[in-house]
Amino acid sequence: MKLLTNIAPVKIMLTVLAVVMLTLPSWVGAQVLVPSGSFHSVMPEVKGEPVEVGSFYLDTTAITNQQYNKFLQDHEDWQPGNVPSIFAYKGYLKGWENTNSDEVVNPDEPVTSVSWYAANAYCQSVGGRLPTLNEWEYSAQLMDFDSSADAREFANRLMSWYSTFDSENVGDVGSTGIENRYGVKDQFGLIMEWVQDFKPVIANDLSLDCGTVGRMQKLGNAYSYAASIRYITRMSFSPKSTNSTMGFRCAYDVETIEEKEASL
């Protein structure tokens, strides 16, 4: 018997948060179709009516340091020192020294310390956009487990990761062993990720405390409690935030990918 998280079943490896260093594989930078569906959000929703999500494409992995460095070489206005303070705090790309070189430190790790504005600019430059909050969460919850014990183990490790994140030892993209049913990797266990509407309107009425997280937990399990923490954490950021825990991946409208494929 499969025990679902919030939606359709999918296999997941329970080597969940162990970091396995890999050679950069061929799927980095690729996109996969996430078909339309629905899920139950921890946010308020019409009782009995799950959140509907249309089909979209999503990067299989977070954007890497190497990919972002190429963007910087093509868009000098987003290099450190050139970005106006209204678009990023001083911590933007903290630790980057020479963005005019092809040599990148930790090229296969996900880029972090980028603002929401910078992530948007990157995605637009490749014909995409940031995923919506519901798209990201829908994709992330396309998982199931063989037993309640497995589900609890995953949720407990996930909550532990959120509370002990080590930005000095992130690991390469694809290294977590976590993958949804369509091949989207590392939505858990590597970094936090920007989404388009990371500050939903309801955030104005919420305090960022444990009590609020508890009230957001409607599904009655540790997995949804971890999701609540994720929502609250996102809400605490400014679009100018350049946190070492935050990176991103891009989403694409179905029509955009179809037009691109047709032109090849």
Side-chain angles (χ1 to χ4, degrees):
M1 175 180 178
K2 299 295 183 183
L3 297 176
L4 307 186
T5 52
N6 293 343
I7 46 176
V10 64
K11 283 289 185 181
I12 182 168
M13 298 166 59
L14 283 175
T15 53
V16 283
L17 301 181
V19 175
V20 181
M21 303 305 287
L22 302 175
T23 303
L24 188 66
S26 60
W27 40 255
V28 171
Q31 300 83 41
V32 294
L33 175 66
V34 181
S36 61
S38 62
F39 75 108
H40 287 287
S41 169
V42 298
M43 300 291 283
E45 58 188 38
V46 178
K47 188 174 182 180
E49 296 292 333
V51 177
E52 299 288 338
V53 179
S55 298
F56 63 100
Y57 280 83
L58 190 63
D59 285 338
T60 56
T61 69
I63 301 305
T64 65
N65 288 326
Q66 187 173 46
Q67 290 173 298
Y68 200 78
N69 187 64
K70 176 62 168 61
F71 166 73
L72 293 178
Q73 293 185 49
D74 295 337
H75 300 82
E76 293 185 1
D77 51 330
W78 283 103
Q79 291 185 3
N82 296 340
V83 181
S85 60
I86 60 171
F87 293 134
Y89 288 143
K90 289 189 296 184
Y92 176 66
L93 294 183
K94 181 180 180 180
W96 286 56
E97 295 182 358
N98 185 3
T99 55
N100 291 311
S101 171
D102 290 333
E103 298 295 324
V104 183
V105 177
N106 301 320
D108 303 335
E109 289 187 6
V111 65
T112 59
S113 300
V114 291
S115 68
W116 178 87
Y117 292 112
N120 263 292
Y122 178 96
C123 290
Q124 290 174 15
S125 77
V126 295
R129 55 179 173 76
L130 285 176
T132 67
L133 184 152
N134 284 338
E135 285 174 338
W136 197 99
E137 290 293 332
Y138 169 60
S139 172
Q141 294 180 36
L142 282 165
M143 300 187 302
D144 71 346
F145 306 94
D146 290 326
S147 68
S148 57
D150 286 347
R152 286 195 300 271
E153 179 185 355
F154 175 80
N156 290 336
R157 292 187 183 184
L158 181 58
M159 291 172 66
S160 175
W161 175 74
Y162 284 143
S163 63
T164 60
F165 182 87
D166 182 3
S167 61
E168 299 298 321
N169 296 283
V170 174
D172 293 350
V173 296
S175 64
T176 65
I178 301 172
E179 179 177 342
N180 81 359
R181 70 185 309 175
Y182 299 110
V184 180
K185 304 174 188 295
D186 307 328
Q187 287 188 266
F188 305 116
L190 198 62
I191 54 171
M192 297 284 288
E193 297 184 17
W194 285 115
V195 295
Q196 190 67 43
D197 47 339
F198 69 97
K199 268 189 184 293
V201 174
I202 191 173
N204 295 330
D205 300 321
L206 293 178
S207 61
L208 304 178
D209 55 34
C210 293
T212 297
V213 172
R215 288 190 295 274
M216 289 178 69
Q217 182 201 357
K218 299 189 304 180
L219 301 177
N221 56 56
Y223 184 87
S224 65
Y225 193 87
S228 301
I229 294 174
R230 187 164 61 249
Y231 277 69
I232 290 291
T233 301
R234 287 196 194 102
M235 293 174 186
S236 70
F237 289 122
S238 158
K240 298 189 291 184
S241 294
T242 52
N243 196 290
S244 61
T245 66
M246 289 291 286
F248 69 99
R249 72 183 73 210
C250 304
Y252 309 80
D253 295 333
V254 171
E255 296 78 8
T256 299
I257 297 296
E258 290 177 346
E259 290 174 2
K260 181 179 179 181
E261 292 176 343
S263 67
L264 296 178

